[in-house]
Amino acid sequence: MRLTVHAVAGKLPRWVAEGSADYERRLPRELKLTWRDVPLARRGADGSGAVLAEREGERLLKGLGDEDRVIALDPTGEPWRTEDLARHLADWQMDGRPVAFLVGGPDGLSPACRARAERSWSLGRLTLPHPLVRIVLVEQLYRAWTILSNHPYHRG
C-alpha cells in the first residue's frame, strides 16, 4: 500500500530527517511511505492567513490522485488513539487505495483541502511544530503496523 504525506514545509532541520528516516526504515515493504513537500506561500504584508493557506492548499491538492484516500491532519479533526489508527490502517490495506495525508503550513489547511479529505485526524490538543508532526506521524504509522503484526514495540 502506498502512503504519501503531502506537507507544506520549509527547510527542515537534520534531526527531523534523521528521526523520520529511522521509523521509515522500520516500516515493512508493503507500506511504502513517501513525502511530497510543497513550499510555504510567500509571507508578506499582502496576504492574510486564509489567503496563504489557500495558496498552499492549491499546491497540496495538485499532487493528489483521483483515487487517493485523503486524510487531513487538522487540529479540529477526530482525536484517534493509536489503536484507532491501527484499525484504519488495516481497513486501508484491505481497500488497496493509496492513502494521502495532508499537513498544512503555519496557517493550517485550506477549506478546499478539508473538503477533499475523507477524514480529518487531530494529533491532539497540543500545538506541535510542523517538523515534529512528521516524526509523530511516521512513528504512529509504525506503531499501528506493530499492533496489527503483534510486534512487541507497542505495549499499550
Side-chain angles (χ1 to χ4, degrees), residues 94-114:
M94 293 299 293
D95 181 46
R97 290 170 46 204
V99 176
F101 296 96
L102 299 181
V103 180
D107 299 296
L109 290 170
S110 68
C113 286
R114 287 187 179 113

Side-chain angles (χ1 to χ4, degrees), residues 40-77:
L40 290 162
R42 187 164 182 223
R43 264 68 185 158
D46 62 337
S48 70
V51 169
L52 296 169
E54 192 64 38
R55 288 179 192 155
E56 293 163 351
E58 289 170 7
R59 294 175 187 159
L60 288 172
L61 293 172
K62 282 182 183 176
L64 298 177
D66 292 338
E67 74 284 358
D68 286 354
R69 174 185 305 278
V70 179
I71 310 299
L73 272 73
D74 186 54
T76 64

Side-chain angles (χ1 to χ4, degrees), residues 31-143:
L31 292 181
K32 173 72 173 134
L33 179 66
T34 57
W35 302 89
R36 178 180 165 268
D37 291 337
V38 301
L40 290 162
R42 187 164 182 223
R43 264 68 185 158
D46 62 337
S48 70
V51 169
L52 296 169
E54 192 64 38
R55 288 179 192 155
E56 293 163 351
E58 289 170 7
R59 294 175 187 159
L60 288 172
L61 293 172
K62 282 182 183 176
L64 298 177
D66 292 338
E67 74 284 358
D68 286 354
R69 174 185 305 278
V70 179
I71 310 299
L73 272 73
D74 186 54
T76 64
E78 298 173 66
W80 296 348
R81 295 177 312 122
T82 303
E83 293 81 3
D84 298 329
L85 177 59
R87 281 192 294 279
H88 291 308
L89 185 61
D91 291 343
W92 300 338
Q93 286 178 295
M94 293 299 293
D95 181 46
R97 290 170 46 204
V99 176
F101 296 96
L102 299 181
V103 180
D107 299 296
L109 290 170
S110 68
C113 286
R114 287 187 179 113
R116 174 65 173 84
E118 292 182 22
R119 304 209 62 156
S120 184
W121 173 25
S122 170
L123 295 180
R125 293 183 177 181
L126 296 174
T127 301
L128 299 173
H130 280 76
L132 190 55
V133 167
R134 296 168 84 91
I135 295 172
V136 171
L137 174 58
V138 70
E139 189 278 338
Q140 285 297 296
L141 289 169
Y142 172 69
R143 185 177 293 273

